[in-house]
Amino acid sequence: ERGRVEWCNAPFDRLVELPHMAVIGRPIEEVLPLDLWTGQREHPARTVLATQSFTTQTLEATRRGQIFYIELFGSWAQGGGIAPIAVFVLRDVTTRVHADRALTAKSRELERSNAELQQFAYAASHDLMEPLRKVAAFGDLLRKRAESALDATSLDFLQRMQQAAVRMSGLIEDLLQFSRVLGDSRPFQTVDLGVLAHEVLSDLERAAHAAGAKVEIGPLPTLEA
């Protein structure tokens, strides 16, 4: 309670850069001078001594132009007929502080990147939708004007083209929904994996045919996703 160091361990000696015997019995302000702590008007140890309170704080310190960070824990031990003793634990947390700051910077960068991705997906979805509408519209016109003149194979080609346009429209709409997911949460919904697998296979039909691939889809579950 007099503010003098009664005992310390070897790591503390190294922290204050003084031999052990030069630390014991000296005022805390001499061992850890106030100007060591950046921006502190009152010595943090004296605050604990004056209020007899508990404290845990991370303080910035500067020595010979080098900045480091110390986590200071202070509390009072009293009892057994001895005078009140303040117990301080100091830890060098410079690595942790730098890691936390790097993580915060990465999080902000990720938020910025996600915002840009959301804007891009939204704009791209709208830009892709317009030419697709033309493909669907001209496909409908072609079917109305020439359906009677087309053979079965040509009609099948036309039908596949229109189905692909509908499927593409759905994919673009999904992209639009995905761009919204980045900023908003969506509730789970029922997803039929069998239907989804067949839609994917339909998208890959041309590539599968060119590769001579045969794809078999067995029973698949329906789940919440």
Side-chain angles (χ1 to χ4, degrees):
E1 59 183 342
R2 295 177 303 160
R4 295 182 180 273
V5 179
E6 298 290 338
W7 178 88
C8 67
N9 59 7
F12 185 81
D13 297 335
R14 293 193 293 270
L15 175 67
V16 299
E17 298 179 341
L18 291 172
H20 187 75
M21 295 308 299
V23 175
I24 302 301
R26 293 180 65 177
I28 190 66
E29 290 91 346
E30 292 182 11
V31 178
L32 290 171
L34 179 60
D35 59 12
L36 176 72
W37 310 108
T38 305
Q40 297 293 317
R41 295 183 177 180
E42 185 175 356
H43 200 286
R46 280 292 178 187
T47 303
V48 176
L49 294 171
T51 60
Q52 297 193 13
S53 60
F54 295 84
T55 182
T56 300
Q57 52 186 320
T58 300
L59 302 169
E60 181 180 299
T62 307
R63 175 177 285 145
R64 292 191 293 275
Q66 182 179 1
I67 296 175
F68 57 102
Y69 296 89
I70 296 294
E71 183 180 74
L72 173 67
F73 169 77
S75 67
W76 276 87
Q78 188 173 8
I82 63 174
I85 296 176
V87 179
F88 293 97
V89 179
L90 292 88
R91 296 172 54 205
D92 188 333
V93 292
T94 304
T95 301
R96 188 188 73 189
V97 169
H98 287 322
D100 288 344
R101 289 181 176 180
L103 181 61
T104 300
K106 286 290 185 182
S107 297
R108 290 174 180 170
E109 176 65 19
L110 183 60
E111 290 176 0
R112 184 192 62 79
S113 178
N114 282 346
E116 291 180 354
L117 177 60
Q118 184 177 4
Q119 293 172 2
F120 170 78
Y122 187 81
S125 299
H126 277 279
D127 292 344
L128 289 171
M129 194 66 81
E130 188 55 36
L132 186 61
R133 289 193 186 99
K134 290 185 178 180
V135 171
F138 282 116
D140 290 338
L141 288 174
L142 181 60
R143 174 179 287 276
K144 291 178 181 178
R145 297 187 61 177
E147 185 172 14
S148 60
L150 297 176
D151 57 23
T153 301
S154 298
L155 284 173
D156 181 59
F157 289 162
L158 180 58
Q159 182 178 4
R160 286 171 179 263
M161 182 188 75
Q162 290 180 302
Q163 288 176 344
V166 172
R167 174 70 177 143
M168 185 64 182
S169 177
L171 290 173
I172 294 175
E173 181 60 32
D174 289 343
L175 179 61
L176 203 57
Q177 292 292 334
F178 178 71
S179 72
R180 298 191 182 106
V181 168
L182 297 178
D184 303 312
S185 60
R186 291 178 63 195
F188 278 58
Q189 60 186 12
T190 302
V191 177
D192 188 330
L193 294 185
V195 173
L196 186 62
H198 282 285
E199 289 177 349
V200 173
L201 184 59
S202 176
D203 294 338
L204 300 175
E205 181 180 13
R206 187 175 177 185
H209 178 75
K214 182 181 179 182
V215 181
E216 295 181 358
I217 301 176
L220 291 172
T222 298
L223 48 78
E224 296 297 309

